[in-house]
Amino acid sequence: MFVRGIRGATTVERNEENDILTATTELLNQIIAENGIIPEEIASVFVTVTPDLTATFPARAIRQMQGWDLVPLMCSLEIPVEGGLPRCIRLMVMVNTDKQQNEIIHVYQREAMRLRPDLSKLTKA
């Protein structure tokens, strides 16, 4: 068994609580579906947001999901790089798995697909 990181990112149009919570839930649900994982297999989830997202903690959305109440979560600010993608939520889901690195499916949604177009091609619609 390995601990593998699954990357994911999405964007929101507005700095509003509902938008942030909804986008975070959609992103994590797609990561779960694409990789066939359950909360019990998750070691931790590291969440970052760009400095322009201040309406709520995205981890609140994860904490509200069924079975995710014991998964360790951590939120942080993304490094504010000039010209970086605005209103972006990123996840690093650390999962215990027997999958090989090349079997992991990373998920990029909305404008965040620009961050890793090479991996976004692998993401199912």
Side-chain angles (χ1 to χ4, degrees):
M1 179 136 332
F2 303 97
V3 177
R4 301 281 189 207
I6 304 173
R7 286 293 316 266
T10 191
T11 56
V12 293
E13 291 194 23
R14 297 176 308 273
N15 179 30
E16 293 185 10
E17 180 178 358
N18 189 55
D19 290 5
I20 293 168
L21 296 176
T22 299
T24 303
T25 302
E26 289 173 357
L27 177 60
L28 185 55
N29 280 332
Q30 187 174 354
I31 289 171
I32 292 166
E34 296 282 350
N35 290 283
I37 55 178
I38 59 172
E40 188 65 28
E41 298 169 336
I42 304 298
S44 63
V45 179
F46 186 59
V47 183
T48 66
V49 294
T50 49
D52 51 4
L53 293 181
T54 59
T56 191
F57 296 102
R60 281 186 51 221
I62 300 169
R63 188 66 63 222
Q64 294 171 6
M65 294 172 65
Q66 182 71 31
W68 288 79
D69 54 322
L70 298 178
V71 175
L73 305 174
M74 176 70 71
C75 286
S76 182
L77 279 178
E78 189 70 31
I79 299 169
V81 174
E82 191 172 316
L85 185 63
R87 296 176 310 280
C88 187
I89 303 163
R90 292 174 173 88
L91 302 181
M92 174 69 77
V93 180
M94 303 301 292
V95 61
N96 297 302
T97 183
D98 289 324
K99 290 183 179 182
Q100 297 299 309
Q101 192 77 336
N102 63 354
E103 296 176 291
I104 298 296
I105 299 173
H106 305 277
V107 177
Y108 292 85
Q109 299 174 334
R110 301 183 181 96
E111 292 299 314
M113 292 175 72
R114 297 185 324 195
L115 296 172
R116 289 296 304 266
D118 56 322
L119 296 179
S120 296
K121 296 175 197 168
L122 301 176
T123 302
K124 297 176 186 172

